[in-house]
Amino acid sequence: QDKLETLVEARTNELSEANKLLAREIGVRKHAEETLQNRVRELNTLNRISHTVTSVNDLPRALEMVAESVTALFSASGCYMFTPDVHLTQISALQECMRRHDIRKILPAIRQAAGEGEALIIDDAGHDDRVRNGSQALLLDSVRTVMLVPLKTRGEVIGCLGVAAPAGGRKFTATELSLFETIASDIASAFANA
């Protein structure tokens, strides 16, 4: 009787460990499937953006369509395209999708991205030095995270592409920044070919 109980207990423990291992493997596979589905969604959006900028003859309409796609792709509250003047003193917003924000509050960061030709992520727009005006912080009521990438064509910066996540929202990742740079490259090509 004791031997049988010992065998049953040992087998129960083995099955319990096997179930735990199986649950971990299922979790890993679900994560891999979610990652793959996100990647497919990103690639579909890239394809749609590339098609839009190469096939739509009306550049402002194409930019509007791209802004809508980018906003949806990054679950953002807005997508912006800027063109600086030669001295980077005035920034004009070409397109905006979804909610309106006071873009003037992030002009220093836009100037940095466009002026240095480097992409950047601002994780906390309300407290980031690149979003300060003089010594006074400019708090963004409806924006927390901003991702900015330069629009480059033939080695020259012709503008800046930005996307904003709402306050209380998420932060952008380095992978998303890389994807955003690819989108910016397509948009810059559209400007060059317009």
Side-chain angles (χ1 to χ4, degrees):
Q1 181 78 8
D2 288 342
K3 185 177 180 179
L4 183 59
E5 286 179 8
T6 302
L7 287 173
V8 167
E9 185 177 329
R11 185 65 181 148
T12 301
N13 289 337
E14 288 174 11
L15 290 173
S16 176
E17 288 302 314
N19 281 339
K20 289 177 186 176
L21 178 63
L22 184 59
R24 281 192 299 269
E25 287 179 10
I26 289 171
V28 167
R29 287 183 184 193
K30 281 184 179 180
H31 181 267
E33 183 178 338
E34 289 170 5
T35 301
L36 183 60
Q37 287 174 347
N38 283 336
R39 194 66 178 150
V40 166
R41 184 173 62 91
E42 290 170 354
L43 291 172
N44 284 335
T45 301
L46 275 176
N47 185 38
R48 188 171 50 253
I49 288 170
S50 292
H51 178 72
T52 299
V53 298
T54 58
S55 65
V56 176
N57 293 331
D58 180 10
L59 184 59
R61 177 64 186 134
L63 294 176
E64 183 180 321
M65 293 167 65
V66 168
E68 290 170 359
S69 293
V70 168
T71 299
L73 175 66
F74 293 117
S75 302
S77 57
C79 177
Y80 312 92
M81 288 168 231
F82 309 94
T83 55
D85 67 4
V86 177
H87 303 291
L88 297 173
T89 56
Q90 294 182 1
I91 306 287
S92 54
L94 296 178
Q95 295 290 329
E96 178 184 349
C97 181
M98 304 299 179
R99 294 187 209 155
R100 293 192 51 78
H101 303 292
D102 187 358
I103 297 305
R104 292 170 297 169
K105 295 177 180 179
I106 61 170
L107 285 181
I110 294 167
R111 286 187 187 105
Q112 178 183 350
E116 297 175 7
E118 297 295 326
L120 61 99
I121 295 175
I122 299 171
D123 285 328
D124 189 355
H127 298 94
D128 192 287
D129 288 340
R130 294 168 291 191
V131 189
R132 291 179 182 266
N133 183 6
S135 62
Q136 188 178 22
L138 292 167
L139 300 177
L140 300 170
D141 297 332
S142 57
V143 175
R144 175 175 180 203
T145 304
V146 177
M147 189 165 41
L148 297 166
V149 296
L151 295 171
K152 296 179 185 178
T153 181
R154 297 179 189 103
E156 179 184 341
V157 176
I158 61 168
C160 184
L161 182 64
V163 66
R170 61 194 206 60
K171 293 182 177 182
F172 294 115
T173 66
T175 301
E176 289 173 316
L177 184 62
S178 178
L179 177 63
F180 201 39
E181 288 175 309
T182 301
I183 292 168
S185 176
D186 284 348
I187 293 170
S189 294
F191 272 110
N193 296 327

